[in-house]
Amino acid sequence: MSVSSPVPSSTASRAPAPTKADLLGFVRRVAADAGLIASLPLDPEGRTWVRLAGPGGSEAWLIGWPPGTGTGWHDHADSVGAFVTAAGELRENALAARLPTDGWKTLELTDGVDRERRLPAGEGRAFGRHHVHEVLNESPDRHAVSVHAYYPPLPRIRRYSRTGQVLRLEEVERPEDWQ
């Protein structure tokens, strides 16, 4: 006969953290909700957003992108994430390189690290921690809408400038900056 110690209720009731695949499945399901997508108010001057309840304690957003807008280069620090274009088309430029997480201001990127993805409605992707990218709506006349999810909820976003192969850390934002 074996004896096992009881599992504390806080541990027993805690769901596992959502994976990148879980987040991608969630954003795909939300992006397919035509009524929700159509309900997002769109502004011709700037991005709009609505916070959503994500799976397993994740942070999720529905975002409207006016023509010609983008995020600039950034990462999501220690969070994994996923996003799907729900309407229009987005382009993601990303770096296929693992950058140091802290302690630097300027990096010289090597050749061959740039990746570009076109993401028309229904297309998306998941990404790991410290993924550096920019997302753009390059349409001259059409809004895009996307759904994003991150776990753990964003502890910070690091913003970068880029000139040629030089990437420079410009700013670190924290959740209190977004309120």
Side-chain angles (χ1 to χ4, degrees):
M1 175 176 183
S2 66
V3 176
S4 62
S5 57
V7 177
S9 62
S10 63
T11 304
S13 64
R14 187 178 304 151
T19 64
K20 293 186 296 186
D22 295 334
L23 297 174
L24 185 58
F26 169 79
V27 296
R28 283 187 171 140
R29 287 188 302 278
V30 173
D33 183 339
L36 177 63
I37 301 310
S39 74
L40 180 67
L42 300 176
D43 181 334
E45 301 299 318
R47 286 190 295 157
T48 55
W49 55 87
V50 172
R51 190 164 188 166
L52 305 171
S58 64
E59 180 173 346
W61 299 90
L62 179 61
I63 301 175
W65 305 76
T69 60
T71 60
W73 287 95
H74 68 283
D75 72 18
H76 304 100
D78 296 317
S79 297
V80 297
F83 70 101
V84 167
T85 304
E89 180 177 281
L90 295 172
R91 183 178 89 186
E92 179 196 36
N93 296 321
L95 299 179
R98 175 78 181 198
L99 303 182
T101 57
D102 289 305
W104 64 276
K105 290 284 187 182
T106 303
L107 288 176
E108 180 83 22
L109 301 172
T110 59
D111 290 335
V113 299
D114 289 296
R115 300 293 182 267
E116 177 185 316
R117 288 180 177 84
R118 297 261 174 210
L119 300 166
E123 295 292 319
R125 68 175 312 248
F127 53 85
R129 291 171 167 74
H130 309 291
H131 175 70
V132 177
H133 69 163
E134 67 175 346
V135 179
L136 308 157
N137 176 8
E138 295 181 317
S139 172
D141 56 5
R142 186 171 177 209
H143 267 79
V145 176
S146 58
V147 182
H148 303 246
Y150 311 98
Y151 187 85
L154 296 172
R156 60 187 168 159
I157 292 178
R158 290 178 288 219
R159 298 212 175 265
Y160 306 98
S161 62
R162 182 165 179 192
T163 305
Q165 294 299 99
V166 176
L167 188 71
R168 183 179 320 278
L169 176 64
E170 297 291 344
E171 179 180 17
V172 177
E173 296 177 3
R174 293 188 168 23
E176 55 270 19
D177 300 327
W178 311 319
Q179 305 305 324

